[in-house]
Structure formats: structure tokens, C-alpha cells
Amino acid sequence: MENIEAIAALQDPVRRRLYEYVAAQGREVGRNEAAEAAGVARTLAAHHLDKLAEVGLLESGSRRLTGRSGPGAGRPAKVYTRARGERSVSLPARDYRTAAELLAEAAEEAGLDAGLRAAARRRGAALRGAAAPCGGLEEAMETLAARGYEPHLEGPEGGDDTADAEPAGRVVRMRNCPFHAVAEGFPPLVCGMNLALLEGLFGTDGSVRARMDARPGECCVVIENSKNNHH
């Protein structure tokens, strides 16, 4: 019932806008900022943000948003971040996570890493289909967003997102790993599969490529411009 209540809480359009904004920031968000982003009054935003925290979709805390401390720094403000837990509803109940974990365990014990990566690369290529090669990081972000990776650009500003102009060091990182639950138990196996899937999805003939660059709290893969980044 908890998952149903959490997902039902997002039916309200204002509440959903607030949740999506907070989730997309990857940092703590105050009530004023969230209200402005959603185009609603602060009191209404506070009500919905607290409801989202109540059902477990957001986590709340408090800190001084001024950056100052001591006398005159003002009272701590309430801030929100996306909760790390996953929510899903299946009627009747299904347990795909246990099946995935058992398959991962068997694959790891049998040393099937290479076969899994090959299958993932084929699946990525099949998902891309006859689409033209990816034209740049912005286009890659659209593809990743559609698959639930929650991508964001990181690195030097500038350029126009073409193979010749994108600044060196700029990458697309992803705040969400769609395979997080299984990757926690089998990181080398699942992260290798994820990399291969994205390699197949973006191919070798476009202006971007996937590479492994694990960082706590984010997807283990980053997408970079294939002509301006060499490692």
C-alpha cells in the first residue's frame, strides 16, 4: 500500500511538477526555489513538498541557505532532495527484481560476463534501430532521458554541441541507473552490461561514445564527445 500511496501522490499536477524539479537538481532545494520553479505560492509548495516527504518520495532536512552562520545568519530553512528508495506497483504482485538477481548471480558464477555484454550491445543496437547516428551530447541526453537515466551536462561551458565545437572535458552524467537494485549486488557484471547497452545504443559511428566512470550516487557510465575526449 505504501508504494501505491506514493505513486498516487504524483497525480496532482502541481505536486508532480515540484517532485520532478527537485529530482532533477541532484541537490537540496528550498521551498522558495521549488515554488518559483513550479509557478505556485510558497505556502502551496510547502504543503505539497511536505506531502511528498510524508509518502517517502522526497527526503527533508534543514540548513541555512544564506551560506552564513552565527548571529544574524537567519533561521535554518527546510530543504528537500529526492529519496533514494525505489517505488513500483504491480497488480497482481510481480517480483522481477528477485528474478533479475538470481539470473545475475548465476551469470556471475558461470563467468558469463562477456556473453552478457555481447547480448546487451546487440539489444542497444536494436533499440537504436535505423536511426541516424547520435549528433551530440544534447541529443544523447534526450535519448537517455527517455530511458530513465536522468542525464545532466557537466564540465566546461561553451561550444554548440557539435563534434568540432563541444568543449573538451564536457560529459553527460546520469543521476539514475535503471539497473540500480541489481547493480548494488553485482556491480562489475551489471555495470559492464549497462556500458555495453549504451555502446550499442549510441554505436561507434556517431559523435558521442560511452565509457565507464563510476561515481557514488550516479550511474557508472558517462557519455562524452568521441572527438574531443581521449583517455
Side-chain angles (χ1 to χ4, degrees):
M1 289 298 294
E2 288 183 1
N3 282 357
I4 294 176
E5 290 175 0
I7 293 173
L10 295 174
Q11 286 188 316
D12 184 286
V14 173
R15 197 172 292 167
R16 187 176 184 87
R17 287 203 305 274
L18 287 164
Y19 173 77
E20 289 175 345
Y21 179 77
V22 173
Q25 303 315 301
R27 56 173 172 79
E28 293 177 331
V29 175
R31 287 172 167 176
N32 287 340
E33 178 186 347
E36 183 177 347
V40 297
R42 182 184 184 279
T43 52
L44 181 60
H47 165 74
H48 285 305
L49 289 166
D50 285 340
K51 180 62 178 179
L52 290 167
E54 180 184 320
V55 299
L57 291 173
L58 296 180
E59 294 176 358
S60 63
S62 62
R63 67 176 176 88
R64 287 187 173 90
L65 299 178
T66 61
R68 296 180 296 166
S69 60
R75 296 173 57 188
K78 200 162 188 181
V79 293
Y80 304 84
T81 56
R82 184 182 62 177
R84 296 296 301 170
E86 297 181 10
R87 302 285 180 174
S88 62
V89 173
S90 178
L91 298 173
R94 298 287 188 264
D95 190 3
Y96 300 114
R97 176 173 175 173
T98 296
E101 289 174 345
L102 289 171
L103 290 168
E105 182 178 349
E108 192 170 76
E109 290 179 353
L112 299 178
D113 304 56
L116 179 60
R117 289 194 299 270
R121 200 169 285 109
R122 290 194 298 270
R123 174 59 64 90
L127 291 171
R128 182 171 62 139
C134 184
L137 296 183
E138 293 287 350
E139 187 177 331
M141 287 182 65
E142 294 178 8
T143 300
L144 293 166
R147 303 204 64 78
Y149 282 93
E150 297 184 3
H152 63 103
L153 280 170
E154 185 175 287
E157 297 293 333
D160 60 2
D161 195 32
T162 66
D164 297 323
E166 182 69 24
R170 202 174 198 204
V171 299
V172 174
R173 288 190 176 273
M174 295 162 269
R175 294 193 176 98
N176 182 52
C177 171
F179 315 110
H180 174 73
V182 186
E184 279 190 312
F186 309 91
L189 182 78
V190 178
C191 290
M193 176 198 76
N194 187 26
L195 174 63
L197 179 72
L198 293 176
E199 286 174 340
L201 185 62
F202 292 114
T204 59
D205 51 352
S207 62
V208 303
R209 66 182 175 191
R211 66 174 172 86
M212 195 75 76
D213 187 14
R215 194 163 75 176
E218 294 190 338
C219 178
C220 58
V221 179
V222 299
I223 306 300
E224 65 183 9
N225 188 286
S226 59
K227 293 188 178 181
N228 288 352
N229 295 276
H230 299 283
H231 298 272

